[in-house]
Amino acid sequence: MKKEVFIDSPYMTLGQLLKEETIVSSGGQAKWYLKEHAVDVNSEPDDRRGRKLYPGDTVDVKDVGLFFIRSNQAD
């Protein structure tokens, strides 16, 4: 699955993305999920739920989907 995720702030965290996309239901679950499952941010493995995601970033959650971070803010 490929999906665009629109954000209203300058960034969102990886944990917020996992919660928003209903992959996990809490920050505690996000921490566990990232330790147990492969997640790539911009083609690099990352397991930090606090990782900041900016418009233009891509997040590949193995066996779930590929997410493209986009801005809702006018430039």
Side-chain angles (χ1 to χ4, degrees):
M1 168 180 76
K2 294 181 181 178
K3 182 176 181 186
E4 289 186 320
V5 177
F6 291 92
I7 59 175
D8 294 321
S9 59
Y11 67 87
M12 76 183 316
T13 66
L14 183 53
Q16 288 171 325
L17 173 73
L18 295 175
K19 287 192 292 186
E20 185 174 303
E21 296 303 317
T22 63
I23 298 167
V24 300
S25 60
S26 71
Q29 273 191 328
K31 185 176 182 178
W32 168 83
Y33 186 90
L34 290 167
K35 295 293 182 198
E36 299 292 323
H37 297 85
V39 175
D40 292 342
V41 177
N42 299 326
S43 301
E44 297 286 331
D46 206 323
D47 64 358
R48 299 172 293 159
R49 67 180 170 164
R51 165 71 187 260
K52 293 179 181 176
L53 305 173
Y54 297 94
D57 286 347
T58 60
V59 179
D60 186 5
V61 182
K62 304 296 186 227
D63 299 324
V64 175
L66 184 61
F67 301 92
F68 302 95
I69 309 303
R70 303 290 183 248
S71 177
N72 252 349
Q73 298 177 335
D75 290 330

